[in-house]
Amino acid sequence: MRPSTTPSKKWEMILRYLVSIRNLLAHDLVNENGKAAVFRALSTRHSLVLLAPFAPHITEELWHEMGNTDSIHLTLWPVFDSTKTVKSETTIAIQVNGKVRDTVVVSVDIEEEELKKMALACPAVAKWIDGKEVKKVIVVKGKLLSIVVGD
């Protein structure tokens, strides 16, 4: 697909999407372990390979500027690794009488009872249930925990 055969809005959308993916990936790695330079090079390499069918001449030039000797068009596409898309933690919203009072980051496989204990122990939640009777605790796995209290 060449830029001349792709409607201009789609072309702009493809570029924005590639840049946003690269920025997100670079941000995540820097926050995880600080290996920014290594990841920026890898992410730039992959971004150029993905952009090559749309901008063949400039990507070829940039490819050689990065120190590669072969053509970018002979390079294999990045391979998807599904193990890197699995989340180990999730953010749970804690509501008291329908209003979010706190959030906690927990393991995705946390037990309901453990989550309830953790939520009831949160200082931001405790001040809203202090001296009141907890009538019901509703858990929506992976999303929220709602506490219904009454006088």
Side-chain angles (χ1 to χ4, degrees):
M1 198 165 21
R2 293 191 328 252
S4 60
T5 60
T6 306
S8 64
K9 293 288 183 194
K10 287 185 181 178
W11 171 245
E12 292 170 10
M13 189 172 62
I14 290 167
L15 285 175
R16 270 184 288 178
Y17 185 69
L18 287 171
V19 169
S20 66
I21 288 173
R22 183 183 177 280
N23 290 342
L24 284 172
L25 293 174
H27 175 72
D28 286 348
L29 190 73
V30 170
N31 289 343
E32 250 180 58
N33 54 19
K35 295 183 180 176
V38 172
F39 187 73
R40 264 191 229 111
L42 184 61
S43 127
T44 301
R45 182 181 194 283
H46 289 327
S47 296
L48 284 176
V49 171
L50 293 173
L51 188 60
F54 300 100
H57 302 293
I58 189 68
T59 53
E60 189 73 40
E61 289 294 323
L62 293 170
W63 186 253
H64 288 291
E65 285 291 321
M66 289 180 64
N68 298 296
T69 55
D70 56 338
S71 173
I72 192 169
H73 304 288
L74 299 175
T75 304
L76 296 176
W77 280 60
V79 178
F80 177 70
D81 184 2
S82 62
T83 61
K84 294 182 180 175
T85 61
V86 178
K87 289 174 51 177
S88 60
E89 292 182 334
T90 187
T91 303
I92 304 288
I94 303 172
Q95 296 180 339
V96 178
N97 287 344
K99 294 185 181 177
V100 177
R101 301 299 182 184
D102 200 4
T103 58
V104 290
V105 177
V106 296
S107 171
V108 292
D109 55 354
I110 190 169
E111 296 293 324
E112 261 188 49
E113 288 304 315
E114 187 179 345
L115 181 60
K116 288 177 185 178
K117 287 178 189 173
M118 186 184 292
L120 294 171
C122 287
V125 174
K127 76 177 188 180
W128 293 100
I129 61 174
D130 191 33
K132 297 177 183 172
E133 178 190 353
V134 175
K135 295 191 176 203
K136 195 173 192 180
V137 178
I138 303 164
V139 177
V140 178
K141 187 154 177 71
K143 296 187 179 195
L144 71 90
L145 181 135
S146 184
I147 303 168
V148 180
V149 294
D151 292 327

